[in-house]
């Protein structure tokens, strides 16, 4: 590695300029312009057209099936990116502008502000990180790049020989023998959190570092599970003590001030509430399963969690999807939900209305999917995904597929369909506009990629 250091510093200049304040496009915006970039685009806009020379490809992390384009829209409609094949090379196209061709492209990411893309490419049998068009060095393996919440920094895990490193803005951090998962940023973008894996007799340990690896705090026996809250810079992790497990919470800037949870036989499914103020997780103790929230335990009815818990926005309870052999069902801990709901073969996408009074999820049974609202089933489709209540709770929107056609459904709060939007080849995740009167989403319509904005009523 010593012989490569001069090249690293050369590349650092490129990557740091692509990601640090004062160099990238995002940092050149005024505060008012920056704020506007966090608002959902509320005008239907054609973002790109796919030329006939661009052919579909199979991408390792593509959400779409083999032989299609890998496409990703910025969550608020600011940009669209896709991967295509031209000749024998794959290239990334950002808002209609193609990048350099590579043997393979994978782990494509869009920055939170929608202005920068990063991805990993294969070149000469090695991996290379590309950020905003700037190439890094070749390594044996590179994990998925991660943008900081403010879009100014990029981190990823790399492997060089038998060692692993955190690559931060093009600069290599300390090397380790093993790593758990991927690095994560604190909510204020000032710290990076990662877990150094167990090695021999040594347990895993969690590392909280500044972005230049000059100030580091280490929590021994922690880090097998790590979650961060992007709103409050809180971090939660699982630590081992005397053969038991407990959850520890702390602020990213004060890793020495810890809040310790009770010991359990096992802990899993750590998740922060939507507003970031509370943490819920699953625990096992004495052969029984529990959901733990705000230091309180609620025993589960002879079942185990099969998905992350969801804290009600009104802080009156925690919704969970729990399972027994052959079936899964909705259960609400700490506050009875009232109506006992039917079991299903699969349940996904549990969500609450903003006032916490209603809940919905996607459910599968008898080869069909449907949205279930407060225990009442809606119409069946080949597939439904991503239910969301409107900001005022009066409507529910979700994506559906039927007979190969994909579309958005608007239903009332009881699940009855009010409106079915136009069919498209592909429909991407939904978001509400700021005033809550419209729903917005990306679509692929033939060769065109659109950001669609539709009135709810």
């Amino acid at each position: 590695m010593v012989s490569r250091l001069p090249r690293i510093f050369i590349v650092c200049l490129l990557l740091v300029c692509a990601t640090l304040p004062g160099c990238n496009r995002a940092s050149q915006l005024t505060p008012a312009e920056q704020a506007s970039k966090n608002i959902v685009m509320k005008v239907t806009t054609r973002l790109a057209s796919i030329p006939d020379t661009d052919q579909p490809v199979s991408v390792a992390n593509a959400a779409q099936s083999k032989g299609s384009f890998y496409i990703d829209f910025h969550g608020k409609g600011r940009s669209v990116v896709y991967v295509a094949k031209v000749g024998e090379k794959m290239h990334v196209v950002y808002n209609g502008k193609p990048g350099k061709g590579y043997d393979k492209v994978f782990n494509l990411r869009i920055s939170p502000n929608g202005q920068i893309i990063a991805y990993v490419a294969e070149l000469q049998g090695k991996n290379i990180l590309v950020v905003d068009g700037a190439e890094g060095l070749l390594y044996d393996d590179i994990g998925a790049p991660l943008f900081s919440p403010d879009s100014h920094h990029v981190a990823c895990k790399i492997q060089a020989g038998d060692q692993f490193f955190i690559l931060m803005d093009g600069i290599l951090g300390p090397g380790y023998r093993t790593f758990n998962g991927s690095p994560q940023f604190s909510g204020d973008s000032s710290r990076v959190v990662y877990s150094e894996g167990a090695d021999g007799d040594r347990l895993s340990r969690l590392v909280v570092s500044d972005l230049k690896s000059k100030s580091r705090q280490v929590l021994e026996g922690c880090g097998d599970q790590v979650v961060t809250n992007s709103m409050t810079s809180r971090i939660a992790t699982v630590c081992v003590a005397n053969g038991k497990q407990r959850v520890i919470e702390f602020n990213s800037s004060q890793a020495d001030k810890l809040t310790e949870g009770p010991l359990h036989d096992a802990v899993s499914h750590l998740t922060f509430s939507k507003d970031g103020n509370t943490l819920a997780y699953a625990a096992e103790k004495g052969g029984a399963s529990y959901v733990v929230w705000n230091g309180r335990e609620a025993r589960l009815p002879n079942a185990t969690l099969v998905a992350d818990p969801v804290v009600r926005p009104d802080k009156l309870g925690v919704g969970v999807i729990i399972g027994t052999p052959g079936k899964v069902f909705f259960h609400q801990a700490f506050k009875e939900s009232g109506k006992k709901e039917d079991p299903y073969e699969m349940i996904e996408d549990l969500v609450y209305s903003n006032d916490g009074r209603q809940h919905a999820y996607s459910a599968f049974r008898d080869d069909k999917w449907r949205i279930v609202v407060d225990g009442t089933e809606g119409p069946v489709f080949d597939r439904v995904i991503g239910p969301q209540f409107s900001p005022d709770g009066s409507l529910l929107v979700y994506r559906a597929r039927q007979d190969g056609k994909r579309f958005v459904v608007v239903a009332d709060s009881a699940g009855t369909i009010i409106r079915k939007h136009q069919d498209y080849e592909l429909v991407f995740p939904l978001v509400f506009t700021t005033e809550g009167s419209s729903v917005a989403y990306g679509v692929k319509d033939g060769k065109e990629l659109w950001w669609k904005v539709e009135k709810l009523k």
Side-chain angles (χ1 to χ4, degrees), residues 90-315:
M90 293 169 60
H91 66 200
V92 174
V93 182
Y94 172 73
N95 282 350
K97 182 179 179 181
K100 178 180 176 179
Y102 295 96
D103 297 333
K104 290 183 181 178
V105 171
F106 47 97
N107 288 332
L108 177 61
R109 298 291 186 268
I110 302 176
S111 63
N113 63 14
Q115 295 181 282
I116 306 170
I117 59 171
Y119 55 91
V120 181
E122 185 176 300
L123 184 66
Q124 303 171 12
K126 299 277 190 176
N127 286 351
I128 189 170
L129 178 66
V130 182
V131 181
D132 206 19
E135 296 180 336
L137 295 178
L138 294 172
Y139 292 103
D140 295 322
D141 188 42
I142 300 178
L146 174 73
F147 282 98
S148 59
D150 65 6
S151 300
H152 292 171
H153 309 280
V154 180
C156 64
K157 178 176 69 177
I158 70 164
Q159 181 179 359
D162 62 353
Q163 280 197 307
F164 293 86
F165 302 83
I166 296 295
L167 187 69
M168 170 64 66
D169 294 336
I171 301 174
L172 282 178
Y176 300 99
R177 297 286 298 180
T178 58
F179 262 109
N180 290 329
S182 301
Q184 300 182 53
F185 282 98
S186 61
D188 61 4
S189 302
S190 68
R191 302 285 194 281
V192 64
V193 185
Y194 55 91
S195 177
E196 183 185 352
D199 188 7
D201 295 332
R202 193 200 68 212
L203 296 174
S204 299
R205 57 182 185 177
L206 187 71
V207 179
V208 182
S209 170
D210 66 4
L211 303 187
K212 296 183 179 180
S213 294
K214 291 184 177 180
S215 173
R216 299 166 67 245
Q217 293 173 292
V218 177
L219 299 180
E220 299 288 348
C222 304
D224 285 340
Q225 301 174 58
V226 184
V227 293
T228 59
N229 177 5
S230 61
M231 297 181 68
T232 63
S233 293
R234 293 288 293 176
I235 298 169
T237 186
V238 176
C239 299
V240 177
N242 300 319
K244 302 287 186 178
Q245 294 184 345
R246 66 158 35 107
V247 172
I248 288 180
E249 289 186 70
F250 58 94
N251 190 286
S252 61
S253 62
Q254 296 176 309
D256 56 333
K257 296 182 180 180
L258 308 176
T259 300
E260 295 186 346
L263 288 171
H264 295 92
D265 296 332
V267 173
S268 63
H269 294 290
L270 278 66
T271 183
F272 280 102
S273 58
K274 188 175 180 180
D275 64 5
N277 293 327
T278 63
L279 180 79
Y281 56 91
E284 295 180 12
K285 182 173 60 176
S289 297
Y290 299 83
V291 59
V292 183
W293 174 54
N294 273 350
R296 300 158 58 198
E297 296 181 352
R299 185 166 178 173
L300 298 177
N302 300 317
T304 57
L305 257 70
V306 298
D308 290 343
V310 179
V311 179
R312 284 178 51 145
D314 58 7
K315 300 296 193 300

Side-chain angles (χ1 to χ4, degrees), residues 419-453:
R419 182 182 180 191
K420 181 178 102 41
H421 286 193
Q422 180 180 339
D423 300 334
Y424 293 102
E425 182 181 344
L426 294 174
V427 177
F428 292 80
L430 313 174
V431 64
F432 292 103
T433 54
T434 305
E435 73 284 356
S437 63
S438 299
V439 64
Y441 52 95
V443 303
K444 182 178 185 291
D445 187 14
K447 291 282 190 176
E448 295 187 344
L449 303 174
W450 286 82
W451 181 251
K452 289 286 183 176
V453 181

Side-chain angles (χ1 to χ4, degrees), residues 45-57 67-71 73 80-86 91 93 95-96 422-426 428 442-452:
T45 306
R46 186 178 67 180
L47 296 176
S49 294
I50 302 174
D52 293 337
T53 53
D54 286 3
Q55 300 302 313
V57 295
S68 64
F69 292 94
Y70 171 73
I71 302 169
F73 282 82
V80 66
V81 62
Y82 69 90
V83 181
K85 191 171 185 179
V86 177
H91 66 200
V93 182
N95 282 350
Q422 180 180 339
D423 300 334
Y424 293 102
E425 182 181 344
L426 294 174
F428 292 80
V443 303
K444 182 178 185 291
D445 187 14
K447 291 282 190 176
E448 295 187 344
L449 303 174
W450 286 82
W451 181 251
K452 289 286 183 176

Side-chain angles (χ1 to χ4, degrees), residues 378-381 384 395-396 398 400 407-421:
V380 297
F381 297 95
V384 294
L395 298 173
L396 184 75
Y398 56 92
F407 45 89
V408 171
V409 174
V410 180
D412 63 21
S413 58
T416 303
I417 292 180
I418 295 176
R419 182 182 180 191
K420 181 178 102 41
H421 286 193

